[in-house]
Amino acid sequence: MRAQLARFYDRVASVYGFWSALFESRAARRAYEVAKLAGGECVLEVAVGGGEFFAELAKTEGLERCVGVDLSMSMLARTVRHTEAGGVAHRNLCRASALSLPFADAVFDILFNLYMIDLLLEEDVPAVLRGFARVLRPGGKLILLSMAEQARMVNALWMWLYRRSPVMTGGCRPVPVTGMLATNGWKIDLRELISQGGFQSELVVAKYDPQDLQ
């Protein structure tokens, strides 16, 4: 399934930005707002997707470092084009899996992850969250966006399609993000639901605190 989804996102990279603009851009703006970037931060975006968010993030004045990774080469190519169009250097982009982030421990202050956790196989979630915790500095913030529960009929149809073939929904489905975080040692600081075009997104800000492991 991982390989199928990778091929799917390589194929849809050229049109992915349309979906983001119609249904996810409002939530992305809110994710940027709650980060409260003041300058001097080292920031990582895991799964840059089409690159619209990363291109804006990289233009933030005063960041010490802004790095983006994605598993899809086609998505990375689109992100490069977005950064070049915005006059931003793209040298801090690389291909990498969220399951094996190629960074030292405790190097980032903020980690953005937009619409990826709801694509993961359930068994991969703990390893991904451990990786996020590893690369964040103590007290660092994880800012997550994911697909929330939709209207009842929409949700039922979506899950029917997902069960028939996950690739039919791009691998995306509503997942219990706050529960996943809590059981893996994360403390929730903020949770919001954001609607755009009838699509519901869930925004969560969390910090790693192993003492909160349940």
Side-chain angles (χ1 to χ4, degrees):
M1 178 176 162
R2 295 188 193 97
Q4 288 178 336
L5 288 175
R7 289 194 295 271
F8 172 83
Y9 282 99
D10 276 338
R11 290 196 300 268
V12 304
S14 61
V15 296
Y16 186 78
F18 292 108
W19 171 273
S20 298
L22 289 173
F23 301 111
E24 299 173 353
S25 57
R26 182 178 299 165
R29 287 193 297 271
R30 181 60 180 152
Y32 183 89
E33 289 172 2
V34 301
K36 297 179 180 178
L37 298 169
E41 295 96 345
C42 290
V43 179
L44 170 65
E45 184 182 1
V46 176
V48 296
E52 294 85 359
F53 182 80
F54 183 79
E56 292 302 314
L57 181 64
K59 290 192 289 187
T60 303
E61 292 186 6
L63 293 182
E64 181 177 331
R65 190 180 181 199
C66 185
V67 182
V69 303
D70 203 285
L71 190 58
S72 166
M73 288 300 295
S74 296
M75 290 296 192
L76 285 170
R78 284 189 59 80
T79 303
V80 167
R81 289 195 290 273
H82 278 296
T83 56
E84 288 178 339
V88 178
H90 58 264
R91 63 183 179 277
N92 287 333
L93 286 165
C94 67
R95 184 173 188 262
S97 168
L99 287 164
S100 183
L101 294 173
F103 306 109
D105 296 354
V107 291
F108 294 103
D109 301 292
I110 298 175
L111 190 156
F112 290 95
N113 185 232
L114 279 57
Y115 302 103
M116 186 205 77
I117 199 166
D118 47 17
L119 307 180
L120 296 175
L121 299 179
E122 187 175 342
E123 58 265 32
D124 288 340
V125 171
V128 167
L129 292 178
R130 283 195 301 271
F132 289 176
R134 181 184 65 79
V135 300
L136 279 170
R137 292 170 177 161
K141 290 188 290 189
L142 170 63
I143 301 177
L144 279 175
L145 278 176
S146 63
M147 179 183 182
E149 292 279 345
Q150 307 299 307
R152 182 180 299 179
M153 291 300 294
V154 174
N155 220 63
L157 175 59
W158 193 282
M159 292 307 300
W160 180 81
L161 291 170
Y162 180 83
R163 286 189 290 269
R164 285 181 62 87
S165 173
V167 177
M168 293 176 70
T169 65
C172 180
R173 81 284 191 201
V175 293
V177 174
T178 54
M180 289 174 168
L181 290 167
T183 56
N184 286 280
W186 294 82
K187 179 180 178 182
I188 309 300
D189 286 346
L190 175 71
R191 177 180 179 268
E192 294 180 2
L193 292 176
I194 301 162
S195 181
Q196 182 180 357
F199 181 81
Q200 287 267 99
S201 295
E202 182 174 5
L203 169 67
V204 176
V205 180
K207 294 179 181 176
Y208 185 64
D209 184 355
Q211 294 181 358
D212 278 358
L213 277 169
Q214 298 177 0

